Amino acid sequence: MPVPSSSVTPLPLPVASGPSLIKGPGPSTAPAWRRESFYFAGPENRLVAAAVGKLLAGDSAATGRREDGPLVLVGPLVLVGPPGCGKSLLVSGLAEGWRARVGEEGVLLVSGVDLRRRLERAIGAERHTPGAVEEIETRLAGLRLLVVEDLEGLAASEATVRLLSATIDRLAERGGVLAATAGKPLGEIAGLDRRLVSRLASGLVVEVAAPAEAARQELLVAALAARGCRIEPLAAADLAAWATADPRRVLAIAGGLHERYGVRAPISRRQAQAFMADAAGDDTTPLAELVSTVAKYYRLPVRQLRSSSRKAPIVLARAVAIYLARRLTPLSYDEIGRYLGGRDHTTVMHNFRRIDRSIATDRALRSAIDDLLRRLGRTDASPADPDRSG
């Protein structure tokens, strides 16, 4: 069944140049597809959309503007989440929105690695070019918005960490704003000292979860619409359930559907199912190897995963095996259930959906899934049709 879209918030994000994958509404002298993109935030990312939306509108204590409402940002905004969850889309849209308002010179978007290298070059040039470091410090402090992508990239340099700490203080004094992204919680990033962590944490640190099914469905429909394609609701629901939580995978699916079916008629459920079946193709993981890998990861014998045991560690490992089997093989719920001790369709489907719902918000579970995918030689999951009972 289609996932209700009423819980999904589309956050419009300006784009710098070139085509966006998703059209923006409204009249404009420029083509709409060059003006803005959208970030689709389900309930798992509602706070993310609210925070970025506030900064896009300039509503922050740091900008000298406050208004009544449920959220007023004070201090830095740090977005934390796994690769592919949309952090870069959000901060690049934020930077472009501020450029339109305060001018090009007032905004800088830079990666942590690039910021570190710039400072290291300036330090090395000090003998021949006195004031090179001070020039960087002055440039950063004079910004209206500084966006640092991937804090892990600068953590290896003590000098850069000190620079960013001082910059945060100077930005606050001058009414500037800092936004940053990180792949893990601030306290887990080696090299970030307490001073910098405390400054970053003085604002809003929010986790960007991988998009859940409703957000994936909205993203797929919009990405297809941007290519002139339409899709039947049930087909979109099937593909959203099938797609991984990585939005890059959803966009790749949209591109594949457009290439395969064109724009003449809405993509049907049968066409969507054929697309999924072909995508599974030869790129599958034998079930026995998969279950064995999961059992070893959780330090359990395979026979316990196939047993009737309800002990919590075994139940979790079994559910993860079901999730991966459904994602990585073309097997039905019935076929997976038969291998795992003769479990029925409903029980297997319940376990799959439990993991699928939890992976967006449970950091430990998501890390385990990522580790297992690597052990299985996969970088993402290309699942079979989740509604095929077999």
Side-chain angles (χ1 to χ4, degrees):
M1 294 296 293
V3 180
S5 62
S6 58
S7 63
V8 179
T9 301
L11 175 67
L13 297 168
V15 294
S17 61
S20 143
L21 287 172
I22 304 169
K23 292 182 180 179
S28 173
T29 55
W33 53 270
R34 289 186 181 272
R35 293 192 305 108
E36 63 183 2
S37 181
F38 282 96
Y39 174 79
F40 292 97
E44 69 280 0
N45 284 316
R46 190 63 48 81
L47 180 59
V48 175
V52 175
K54 282 284 185 180
L55 273 183
L56 274 169
D59 295 325
S60 167
T63 66
R65 295 180 55 193
R66 295 179 68 94
E67 63 178 32
D68 294 335
L71 175 67
V72 176
L73 300 180
V74 179
L77 171 66
V78 182
L79 303 180
V80 179
C85 68
K87 303 189 302 296
S88 293
L89 174 66
L90 287 163
V91 294
S92 61
L94 179 61
E96 186 59 27
W98 275 60
R99 286 191 184 105
R101 187 166 63 249
V102 305
E104 185 73 29
E105 289 301 311
V107 178
L108 176 64
L109 187 155
V110 63
S111 71
V113 170
D114 192 29
L115 180 59
R116 186 189 76 213
R117 289 174 177 168
R118 291 187 192 187
L119 181 60
E120 289 171 347
R121 286 196 296 268
I123 292 172
E126 276 289 330
R127 291 183 180 180
H128 308 291
T129 313
V133 173
E134 183 180 357
E135 183 179 345
I136 291 179
E137 293 173 343
T138 302
R139 162 71 173 138
L140 295 179
L143 294 169
R144 295 294 304 279
L145 174 68
L146 170 62
V147 179
V148 180
E149 281 208 75
D150 187 13
L151 290 169
E152 291 92 334
L154 62 78
S157 166
E158 183 179 344
T160 313
V161 169
R162 288 199 305 268
L163 171 66
L164 189 56
S165 296
T167 298
I168 292 173
D169 293 340
R170 296 177 71 180
L171 283 173
E173 292 170 1
R174 299 186 181 192
V177 178
L178 172 78
T181 68
K184 60 180 68 174
L186 298 177
E188 297 179 13
I189 301 176
L192 292 191
D193 64 20
R194 291 182 180 179
R195 183 174 59 173
L196 179 55
V197 171
S198 66
R199 281 163 173 75
L200 293 170
S202 68
L204 179 62
V205 180
V206 59
E207 182 171 352
V208 185
E213 190 172 329
R216 296 199 299 267
Q217 183 172 322
E218 288 297 299
L219 175 60
L220 176 65
V221 171
L224 285 169
R227 294 173 167 85
C229 298
R230 293 170 294 154
I231 185 168
E232 294 178 358
L234 288 175
D238 287 351
L239 288 160
W242 175 68
T244 64
D246 189 332
R248 296 172 296 188
R249 172 68 177 163
V250 178
L251 295 175
I253 290 169
L257 290 167
H258 172 250
E259 182 177 349
R260 179 165 177 169
Y261 298 118
V263 299
R264 291 187 178 181
I267 296 167
S268 68
R269 195 177 194 187
R270 178 174 294 180
Q271 287 174 321
Q273 291 173 343
F275 179 88
M276 290 185 284
D278 289 348
D282 296 329
D283 191 19
T284 62
T285 302
L287 186 56
E289 177 191 344
L290 186 152
V291 173
S292 176
T293 300
V294 173
K296 288 178 182 177
Y297 182 84
Y298 284 101
R299 299 181 180 180
L300 296 167
V302 170
R303 59 180 174 77
Q304 289 192 337
L305 269 65
R306 304 180 72 180
S307 73
S308 59
S309 173
R310 300 298 301 167
K311 293 181 179 179
I314 298 172
V315 170
L316 173 61
R318 186 185 297 129
V320 168
I322 288 170
Y323 175 83
L324 290 172
R326 193 60 177 163
R327 292 301 196 187
L328 299 177
T329 78
L331 299 175
S332 68
Y333 290 125
D334 286 332
E335 291 167 324
I336 296 168
R338 281 197 293 271
Y339 183 83
L340 289 172
R343 287 174 164 77
D344 62 30
H345 171 101
T346 303
T347 299
V348 175
M349 182 170 60
H350 169 75
N351 277 273
F352 170 83
R353 290 180 174 172
R354 178 167 67 89
I355 298 297
D356 192 45
R357 285 193 302 268
S358 300
I359 196 171
T361 55
D362 188 328
R363 188 181 300 117
L365 177 61
R366 185 170 64 240
S367 177
I369 296 292
D370 289 344
D371 286 345
L372 283 163
L373 285 170
R374 285 191 289 271
R375 294 186 184 203
L376 291 164
R378 299 290 292 270
T379 56
D380 67 356
S382 302
D385 172 12
D387 288 336
R388 180 168 54 85
S389 64

